[in-house]
Amino acid sequence: MKNVFITGGSSGIGLALAKDYVKEGYRVGICGRDPNKFKNINGITFYEANVTDRENLRQSIIDFAEKGLDILIANAGISAIEKTRIPDFEKARKIIDVNLIGLLNTFEIGVELFKKNGGHLVAISSVSGFVGLPGTAAYCSSKAAVLKLCESFAIDFRPIGIHVTAIAPGFVDTPLTKLNKHPMPFIISSSKTSKLIRNAISKKKELYVFPFGMYLMITILAYMPRMLYRMLMRSISFYK
């Protein structure tokens, strides 16, 4: 039996992945900050842990890994729902702390566990990491950092038997995105997202961006001359 641990696994993409891995016969562990959000599901072990608390997170993953660990998915993340010209800097710090430092805390434990016998580290980033979108500076920058960390780690860790995968989805229909008040092109369901992510992990892809329509759109925006990109973004209303 294979084993997978998912941070931020009590809702959204993380929960969809957890349920599907159980169906595939995996032993599954997840962690989240609020145990009230998690309903008991056979095959899933829940740990109350915050990814920004290194020791708490470490104890949770180490406890689960006593019976084995093959895949560690750093899925926990937050964003600012309201897009504003002037950011709430306190919320911005929290976003970076969870999305970036939380990932580092997770991967640190994974490397400790995998450096002898190998394993697979996975990070859930976002297409937002390829560009600077209006009103979401902290979120975009945190996801961009995740992409570059994984790019470097994929180079560094492969010789010691640790695979690294960065997942960059577009809009996914989750409780979090339901709060968005702007158009969400190419949005896909959590179940479809889970299937695509699990397939990318099984193939050990180092970077996977989806869906295809969003991949094309974000590629065009990412390689557009930056002056033209900024002019385009300023012409669109993103703010409340």
Side-chain angles (χ1 to χ4, degrees):
M1 177 182 290
K2 289 191 175 182
N3 311 274
V4 58
F5 191 97
I6 306 167
T7 68
S10 56
S11 65
I13 295 173
L15 184 57
L17 285 169
K19 289 179 177 179
D20 286 337
Y21 272 122
V22 167
K23 292 177 183 177
E24 290 185 3
Y26 280 71
R27 187 176 68 95
V28 178
I30 67 172
C31 72
R33 292 174 295 172
D34 184 0
N36 295 319
K37 288 184 178 180
F38 178 71
K39 297 179 180 179
N40 290 330
I41 300 174
N42 289 336
I44 300 178
T45 303
F46 176 81
Y47 293 86
E48 185 177 355
N50 189 329
V51 294
T52 62
D53 184 334
R54 289 175 64 193
E55 188 53 37
N56 179 214
L57 180 66
R58 184 179 185 280
Q59 289 176 359
S60 298
I61 298 176
I62 292 295
D63 179 78
F64 178 80
E66 285 184 358
K67 294 182 180 179
L69 183 62
D70 303 283
I71 305 170
L72 178 57
I73 303 176
N75 168 72
I78 58 174
S79 65
I81 300 303
E82 298 291 348
K83 277 68 175 178
T84 59
R85 291 185 185 277
I86 306 301
D88 180 326
F89 283 97
E90 190 58 38
K91 287 183 180 178
R93 290 185 186 91
K94 186 175 181 180
I95 288 169
I96 292 173
D97 199 23
V98 172
N99 295 359
L100 181 56
I101 305 304
L103 176 130
L104 279 173
N105 291 341
T106 305
F107 273 23
E108 179 182 26
I109 301 162
V111 171
E112 176 185 339
L113 292 169
F114 292 154
K115 62 185 177 183
K116 289 185 179 180
N117 300 311
H120 198 158
L121 295 171
V122 181
I124 306 300
S125 182
S126 167
V127 294
S128 298
F130 292 99
V131 294
L133 293 170
T136 58
Y139 183 76
C140 290
S141 61
S142 68
K143 293 302 185 178
V146 167
L147 288 173
K148 294 309 175 185
L149 276 172
C150 288
E151 187 171 61
S152 293
F153 287 158
I155 298 168
D156 295 335
F157 298 163
R158 178 63 69 87
I160 59 174
I162 300 176
H163 297 279
V164 178
T165 295
I167 303 291
F171 291 111
V172 179
D173 187 9
T174 67
L176 191 62
T177 57
K178 287 184 186 299
L179 299 175
N180 286 334
K181 299 176 182 178
H182 55 76
M184 294 181 284
F186 310 109
I187 189 168
I188 61 175
S189 67
S190 293
S191 59
K192 178 65 173 178
T193 297
S194 172
K195 180 179 180 180
L196 293 172
I197 291 175
R198 286 180 290 111
N199 184 57
I201 293 172
S202 68
K203 293 181 178 179
K204 293 184 168 58
K205 291 189 175 184
E206 294 183 346
L207 174 64
Y208 181 56
V209 187
F210 70 98
F212 185 69
M214 181 58 78
Y215 172 75
L216 286 179
M217 178 185 291
I218 208 68
T219 299
I220 292 170
L221 292 175
Y223 285 96
M224 182 182 291
R226 300 332 285 163
M227 182 175 70
L228 182 60
Y229 172 79
R230 288 189 289 270
M231 289 175 61
L232 174 64
M233 291 299 106
R234 286 170 182 148
S235 70
I236 303 172
S237 177
F238 286 89
Y239 311 106
K240 65 175 182 177

